[in-house]
Amino acid sequence: MALCLKQVFNKDKTFRPRKKFEPGTQRFELYKKAQASLKSGLDLKAVVQLPPGESINDWIAVHVVDFFNRINLIYGTMSEYCTEKSCPIMSGGLKYEYRWQDDNKYKKPTKLSAPQYMCMLMDWIEMLINNEDIFPTRIGVPFPKQFQQVCTKILTRLFRVFVHVYIHHFDSIINMGAEAHVNTCYKHFYYFIREFSLVDHRELEPLKEMTERICH
């Protein structure tokens, strides 16, 4: 029997503090609008489209933060099955391997285990979305010129979480009864990145067959 989303995604509440939007802000109102559309059962392709009169950067910012929260929780539900022993390399099957690089400790692409990669990734995204110079929350403060470029990098790396989960741990998701929820989250993510051309099509190759099957 399938568990409800709340039961599944509350199994590890301490996995990572979630970024929230401040009530009363434009970003919060946009977030509520996006959530209302999702819950209304509208076609996900329509849900991701930019509402008339809204800023594209605000719309992207809201979704990047929301996807971070959702994907972070999805990984958190099955992180006990993703260990140094089971996943010594961050990969998507035998064909794809993902190496970590940042501007601090890892100056060059470095081979990490999947749990290490995920930890570095979530810390890195959290640092970026809490950086006022990149994700400004104050009224009247503009987004930086490189904002969409930063979001592309975040979303590209979040896509790799889906790749790893679907290829290496989907049995665990099925056993938890969360398959439908993960699929819906993936479809929402996929339609969004395609709507605004935010992830290079070559990055999508590992899940191409599955995507063609569930994203009509």
Side-chain angles (χ1 to χ4, degrees):
M1 176 186 269
L3 299 172
C4 75
L5 189 62
K6 202 168 185 181
Q7 281 177 290
V8 173
F9 287 177
N10 278 355
K11 286 188 75 174
D12 188 358
K13 294 177 185 174
T14 60
F15 187 67
R16 184 161 301 279
R18 298 177 65 184
K19 167 84 173 179
K20 293 186 177 179
F21 302 102
E22 290 296 321
T25 62
Q26 182 186 14
R27 205 84 43 85
F28 180 73
E29 295 305 315
L30 265 183
Y31 172 72
K32 284 201 304 183
K33 186 181 290 186
Q35 293 304 300
S37 295
L38 268 179
K39 291 173 183 174
S40 70
L42 286 173
D43 174 21
L44 286 171
K45 284 183 182 176
V47 164
V48 300
Q49 293 171 5
L50 181 67
E54 298 293 354
S55 152
I56 186 169
N57 281 343
D58 275 317
W59 190 240
I60 290 173
V62 163
H63 282 79
V64 167
V65 172
D66 190 41
F67 288 135
F68 165 67
N69 287 335
R70 291 170 184 271
I71 294 168
N72 173 51
L73 286 172
I74 286 173
Y75 181 71
T77 65
M78 39 65 58
S79 57
E80 63 187 286
Y81 306 107
C82 184
T83 65
E84 302 285 330
K85 188 175 181 180
S86 68
C87 305
I89 297 171
M90 174 58 182
S91 61
L94 297 175
K95 193 175 177 182
Y96 300 95
E97 179 184 316
Y98 302 117
R99 298 189 175 191
W100 182 257
Q101 183 178 13
D102 55 36
D103 297 326
N104 300 311
K105 185 178 177 182
Y106 299 95
K107 305 286 188 183
K108 296 179 180 179
T110 305
K111 185 180 292 191
L112 297 177
S113 68
Q116 286 177 306
Y117 185 101
M118 297 296 186
C119 188
M120 297 298 299
L121 174 60
M122 299 307 174
D123 283 344
W124 175 76
I125 295 175
E126 194 165 47
M127 176 194 70
L128 289 173
I129 63 179
N130 285 306
N131 184 335
E132 281 286 329
D133 292 332
I134 301 172
F135 281 75
T137 57
R138 296 186 301 277
I139 295 172
V141 178
F143 286 92
K145 288 181 180 178
Q146 78 276 21
F147 175 70
Q148 289 190 23
Q149 188 179 339
V150 171
C151 289
T152 285
K153 197 164 186 179
I154 292 173
L155 293 167
T156 297
R157 288 179 166 183
L158 281 175
F159 184 81
R160 295 170 182 177
V161 180
F162 277 121
V163 173
H164 186 75
V165 167
Y166 270 116
I167 293 176
H168 295 277
H169 301 292
F170 203 60
D171 284 350
S172 301
I173 295 294
I174 291 173
N175 291 338
M176 292 176 194
E179 180 182 4
H181 300 303
V182 175
N183 283 349
T184 298
C185 184
Y186 175 75
K187 288 163 71 174
H188 186 202
F189 181 92
Y190 176 79
Y191 289 139
F192 184 80
I193 61 175
R194 298 302 287 162
E195 175 72 16
F196 300 104
S197 302
L198 290 166
V199 174
D200 190 293
H201 68 92
R202 289 170 295 186
E203 284 283 343
L204 309 179
E205 280 296 314
L207 297 180
K208 184 178 178 182
E209 288 184 18
M210 185 204 74
T211 302
E212 288 174 350
R213 193 169 66 249
I214 70 173
C215 300
H216 305 299

